[in-house]
Amino acid sequence: MIFKAIIYIILAYLVGSIMSGYWIGKIFYHEDIRDMGSGNIGTTNAFRTLGIKAGIVVMILDIAKGTIATLLPGMLGFHGINPLIFGLVAVLGHCFSIFMNFHGGKAVATTAGVMLGYNWQFLLVCAVILLLTLLLTSTMSLASITSFVLGTVYSFFIGDLFLSVICVIACAVTIYAHRENIKRIKSGTESKIPFGFPYWSSKKTH
């Protein structure tokens, strides 16, 4: 069982490490997304720099890899470890990709994919929090952080201790990944998305 667990953990990390934003930009737009917009490889920067179609594809692929990493071991008959472990490893792969010199995205979409595979009702609550915060602030980074923090708090009320532990870890990773965004939020220079109420336009910070 230990050998199988190690194999699935490695696979989960490798799946998480596949940076769809980078490859979509390279293959279809002949651009390196790391040199565009915020320089991040994730979904938000794909929407901002490559457009809506590319952003949607990147989002779907990033969600899918979190779901695949979470569900695949069980689908193949391995039930010795809580599937959230594999999901968390995929999230770490997305943030610290071996294919990108251990750099990566901020794992919001990939974490959503993990929760989609594990507990879609919990994901729905977190998604509502994210969307409401985004509509109120027009700031994706703030909405992401808020959904992770409040989602973690909510996890303690649904009776799944393991989920709560994973949420605490994922929340810490997300806050660390957004550390530069947090500085820009404090200084009032963080990029905003042009919708929501209220919406104040601001200069994008790259």
Side-chain angles (χ1 to χ4, degrees):
M1 187 180 82
I2 295 177
F3 178 75
K4 283 187 176 181
I6 292 172
I7 294 298
Y8 286 127
I9 285 172
I10 293 173
L11 286 175
Y13 174 77
L14 292 176
V15 168
S17 293
I18 299 172
M19 307 308 297
S20 58
Y22 173 81
W23 290 111
I24 294 295
K26 277 290 188 180
I27 294 172
F28 295 101
Y29 297 87
H30 308 293
E31 298 278 3
D32 189 336
I33 194 173
R34 296 174 296 180
D35 299 327
M36 305 167 67
S38 65
N40 188 263
I41 315 177
T43 299
T44 301
N45 199 39
F47 272 108
R48 182 182 296 129
T49 60
L50 301 178
I52 294 176
K53 291 181 180 180
I56 291 174
V57 172
V58 171
M59 179 178 67
I60 291 173
L61 290 175
D62 282 352
I63 290 173
K65 67 184 184 182
T67 304
I68 290 169
T70 303
L71 294 180
L72 186 60
M75 292 173 63
L76 295 178
F78 184 78
H79 302 286
I81 293 180
N82 190 299
L84 280 176
I85 291 291
F86 303 113
L88 178 62
V89 172
V91 168
L92 293 175
H94 182 86
C95 293
F96 310 102
S97 171
I98 192 173
F99 305 123
M100 297 287 153
N101 296 318
F102 298 101
H103 293 87
K106 296 172 183 177
V108 176
T110 302
T111 303
V114 172
M115 292 305 161
L116 178 62
Y118 183 75
N119 186 333
W120 67 266
Q121 297 96 329
F122 177 77
L123 171 63
L124 182 61
V125 172
C126 294
V128 169
I129 294 171
L130 185 146
L131 290 174
L132 288 176
T133 307
L134 184 59
L135 287 172
L136 289 169
T137 67
S138 299
T139 308
M140 187 62 196
S141 56
L142 180 59
S144 299
I145 295 168
T146 301
S147 68
F148 270 83
V149 172
L150 295 184
T152 299
V153 173
Y154 172 63
S155 72
F156 286 98
F157 293 92
I158 60 177
D160 189 334
L161 180 60
F162 201 87
L163 173 62
S164 297
V165 172
I166 294 298
C167 282
V168 169
I169 297 172
C171 185
V173 171
T174 299
I175 291 174
Y176 175 79
H178 283 84
R179 60 194 182 281
E180 295 300 324
N181 302 84
I182 293 172
K183 292 178 183 178
R184 292 196 292 268
I185 290 170
K186 289 180 178 179
S187 65
T189 59
E190 178 68 329
S191 299
K192 292 180 180 289
I193 297 175
F195 63 81
F197 51 94
Y199 168 65
W200 297 280
S201 61
S202 66
K203 182 179 180 181
K204 289 181 181 179
T205 303
H206 303 314

